[in-house]
Amino acid sequence: MATERRGAKSDGPRQVRFGVFEADLRSGELRKQGIRLRLAGQPFEILAMLIAARGDVVTREELRRRLWADDTHVDFDHSLNAAINKLREALGDSSDTPRFVETLPRRGYRFVAPIEVLDPKTEAAAGPPAPEPPPPSASPATRASARSLALAAAAGAAALLLLAAVTGWLRRAPQPAPQAAAPIRSVAVLPFSTIGQDPDKDFFADGMTEEVIGRLSGVGALHVISRTSVMLYRQPKQPLPEIAKALGVDAIVEGSIQHFPDQVQISAKLIDARSDRALWAQTWQRDSWDIQALQGEIARAIAEGVSVRVTQEDRARLARRAGPLDPEAYLEFARGRHLQNQALPPANVQAIQHFRKAIAIAPDYAQAWARLAEAEAFGSPAKEWMPKAKADAARALELAPDLAEAHAADGLVKTFWDWDFPGAERAFRKALELDPNSSDVHYRFSTLLAALGRFDEAIAECRRAYELDPLSDPVGHHLGRLYYFARDYEKAASQLEHVLTLDPQSYYGHFFLAIVHEQQGDETNAVAHFERAFLSAGASAPPVANLHRLWQEKGYTAFSRAVLDWGIAKSPPGDTLNSAANALRLARLGDKEQALQWLGRAFTSHTRDLVFLAVDPTWDPLRGDPRFQAYVEKIGLPRLPQSTPRP
């Protein structure tokens, strides 16, 4: 039998050479001219089975029994084809003109290249060779010796039979169960790769990655890394275990997308990053209109693959928005999300346009309404965009009351426009109930809690967001800002310095760290980080050098006044976006009357940063003025006691 031959030979060579390749069948390494190739999991195990067969056919059924356990949820045919394709890709082989792996249609595969064994194992001898019968003329002594050898041979045979019997009994006897692999509690879905160079396909793939993450994050028992962090690994150069360590996860999901006329094919693989071993693989091919249902299928398959507990509520969240969707509407939505994720005002305006195009094609596209509302909530001026955001968030909730993004958008509107803080808290808590692993919702909720002076809760929410999105610059510098509001300046500085180790060009990292140093009275570091912030924002070197010279010659107050004048000069005529920031700088300079004038403009224009009026330490010089306290009361913020920096 082929299986029996393969079993014998799999115990044979450890290292083999074929062509320019060397394979260590025990350690799972494949090298080409001494350079290690990235081939692991099932593709390498298939290679090892083919080499062990030494020219025999390895059937598809034998591969299934050996490499795909009966309880593994995979589409076997697609998974096997994908593994063979990956093996051929590593070997530079072709199914049409095979040099290494030959396909026998509907039967299996055969390794056809000559193999050189580099460390052949010595076959165990079955026993001493049987003695030849003595010739007729043998002497009595010779015949006695022959009888002794025969008896020894018989004793050896009996011993072998006894050993075989004992071995058989031991094999049948209960054996200690192998130690189970550590459970997988956290996962990162890396950006799906695409075939071809069409930018639209990249938007589609990014959107698919984000949607699978979003669906999967609804599983309460699973820690899922958010979009911002995984997008840094679009074309990973590090080994998967290193990526997993950087993201703090147990498992990685890799995937690819291929487009066909009116259809899309998606392959995904779950890898235990601790052992770099593939646990699960599957391929789907669906009509392009079924994209929303497919997103739920993929997320559900991943959740089942990691064997976490999936509740009925989790299953409902995984299956949400399963109706058909016009593929062009989805593509417009994906373009909008790509721009919105850049977190830049011009990109946000373009994102709004794409969301509106998606809605024009698919008027009942609830998720597009929710993301449109979120983008509008950060439009400027607020008086123009916030009413639109409020209406569009309400429309999203009407279409999909169980959509976390819709409740989050509603929470943003209630926080920054309605100043309905109890209503905002209810909205954010509902969003977290629907999507407990949403970094965005934890992040937004922390803003509300900080504005209300609930610093411990705010920091806990933001730290949870940071755990879910550990490489996110916005979440990282926001956490530093929360420590600043809580007057824990040492922790604020430490957190912002950590952000800058991840991204030395982070504008907000430098800007908020400058504010912290300013509050601590460290003018030298404040100036240094203000300058780096301006350069990161695109300022040219000469004006920044002039600011530095001004500080050296006339002191920090002159420097700070110049920064304020520069910011006002850079603002478009009638712009109120920076009115609260200008009021803050004037308060810091001790110019109370002008600071209150700018604060009045900020209140009239409904500037978003007004929600921090009660907690930002920079406002402290104005807190004793009744006019300032009147604004705090009109916004509905708590009147917090004056606090001092935390020890």
Side-chain angles (χ1 to χ4, degrees), residues 182-483:
I184 292 173
R185 305 186 188 280
S186 54
V187 65
V189 181
L190 298 189
F192 286 97
S193 61
T194 57
I195 298 175
Q197 301 298 320
D198 186 348
D200 280 348
K201 292 179 181 177
D202 290 337
F203 292 138
F204 186 96
D206 287 351
M208 176 60 71
T209 304
E210 186 168 349
E211 278 301 298
V212 170
I213 291 171
R215 299 287 187 101
L216 201 57
S217 69
V219 179
L222 191 61
H223 176 96
V224 185
I225 297 298
S226 294
R227 159 193 46 81
T228 309
S229 293
V230 299
M231 284 301 173
L232 298 175
Y233 297 99
R234 182 187 301 279
Q235 295 177 330
K237 297 180 181 178
Q238 304 101 308
L240 290 182
E242 290 183 15
I243 295 174
K245 184 177 181 181
L247 296 174
V249 295
D250 302 325
I252 296 284
V253 175
E254 288 186 310
S256 63
I257 298 179
Q258 187 171 4
H259 292 260
F260 302 96
D262 300 322
Q263 285 195 323
V264 61
Q265 178 175 297
I266 299 177
S267 298
K269 178 170 62 175
L270 176 68
I271 301 163
D272 188 332
R274 299 162 299 190
S275 61
D276 204 10
R277 179 176 178 272
L279 301 176
W280 166 94
Q282 190 164 341
T283 299
W284 298 262
Q285 188 162 330
R286 296 286 189 277
D287 186 280
S288 297
W289 286 75
D290 292 336
I291 191 65
Q292 293 193 112
L294 180 54
Q295 292 162 354
E297 285 184 45
I298 295 172
R300 185 170 60 253
I302 295 169
E304 292 174 350
V306 300
S307 301
V308 296
R309 180 174 178 268
V310 181
T311 66
Q312 287 299 112
E313 292 80 6
D314 294 336
R315 293 182 187 279
R317 288 192 286 266
L318 288 168
R320 74 180 189 270
R321 307 188 299 280
L325 176 66
D326 188 301
E328 193 59 37
Y330 179 75
L331 188 55
E332 289 294 342
F333 175 79
R335 290 185 182 120
R337 285 296 287 147
H338 175 77
L339 290 161
Q340 190 179 36
N341 290 338
Q342 296 177 21
L344 298 171
N348 195 59
V349 171
Q350 292 177 290
I352 289 171
Q353 296 169 357
H354 285 292
F355 291 140
R356 286 177 173 170
K357 288 179 182 178
I359 290 168
I361 298 168
D364 292 339
Y365 194 175
Q367 197 177 12
W369 283 103
R371 293 298 182 178
L372 173 61
E374 180 184 345
E376 289 168 335
F378 290 98
S380 181
K383 275 199 166 182
E384 175 185 340
W385 289 103
M386 275 295 189
K388 297 175 183 177
K390 183 172 183 175
D392 293 340
R395 177 59 177 154
L397 284 169
E398 179 184 355
L399 290 167
D402 63 342
L403 182 61
E405 294 99 314
H407 289 280
D410 184 45
L412 286 173
V413 171
K414 285 181 165 60
T415 298
F416 294 119
W417 180 250
D418 294 335
W419 294 333
D420 175 6
F421 303 127
E425 181 167 355
R426 287 192 296 272
F428 286 129
R429 290 197 183 280
K430 181 63 177 177
L432 287 173
E433 176 187 324
L434 294 167
D435 191 353
N437 281 314
S438 172
S439 174
D440 282 347
V441 180
H442 286 289
Y443 167 41
R444 306 297 187 200
F445 188 25
S446 72
T447 297
L448 170 67
L449 294 169
L452 299 177
R454 292 157 61 180
F455 299 122
D456 290 341
E457 294 174 77
I459 289 168
E461 287 292 330
C462 195
R463 290 189 68 84
R464 177 60 178 153
Y466 210 29
E467 290 170 1
L468 293 163
D469 210 351
L471 304 182
S472 169
D473 181 86
V475 177
H477 68 66
H478 183 65
L479 179 57
R481 198 179 186 195
L482 296 187
Y483 282 125

Side-chain angles (χ1 to χ4, degrees), residues 51-103:
I51 289 174
R54 305 190 193 184
D56 289 341
V57 177
V58 181
T59 68
R60 296 173 69 87
E61 177 60 21
E62 288 168 343
L63 289 168
R64 186 193 67 77
R65 288 201 306 267
R66 177 80 172 269
L67 303 182
W68 279 269
D70 291 338
D71 60 347
T72 303
H73 303 282
V74 297
D75 183 335
F76 168 71
D77 289 331
H78 286 301
S79 300
L80 177 57
N81 292 340
I84 291 291
N85 288 339
K86 191 165 185 178
L87 172 58
R88 283 200 171 109
E89 180 181 353
L91 298 176
D93 204 10
S94 166
S95 59
D96 296 327
T97 56
R99 294 183 298 126
F100 300 106
V101 180
E102 178 187 21
T103 300

Side-chain angles (χ1 to χ4, degrees), residues 510-590:
H510 284 297
F511 184 82
F512 290 129
L513 185 53
I515 297 293
V516 172
H517 285 310
E518 183 180 69
Q519 194 71 19
Q520 292 176 308
D522 184 352
E523 296 178 358
T524 300
N525 276 315
V527 168
H529 285 287
F530 273 129
E531 290 172 353
R532 291 175 194 169
F534 299 148
L535 291 170
S536 295
S540 59
V544 175
N546 289 337
L547 284 173
H548 188 83
R549 189 162 45 251
L550 182 65
W551 168 64
Q552 289 179 316
E553 295 174 355
K554 297 188 177 181
Y556 191 77
T557 299
F559 170 86
S560 191
R561 174 68 70 173
V563 169
L564 172 65
D565 293 342
W566 190 19
I568 293 173
K570 290 285 184 182
S571 301
D575 177 51
T576 57
L577 177 63
N578 296 317
S579 52
N582 294 337
L584 276 168
R585 297 303 302 163
L586 288 161
R588 182 70 182 166
L589 287 165

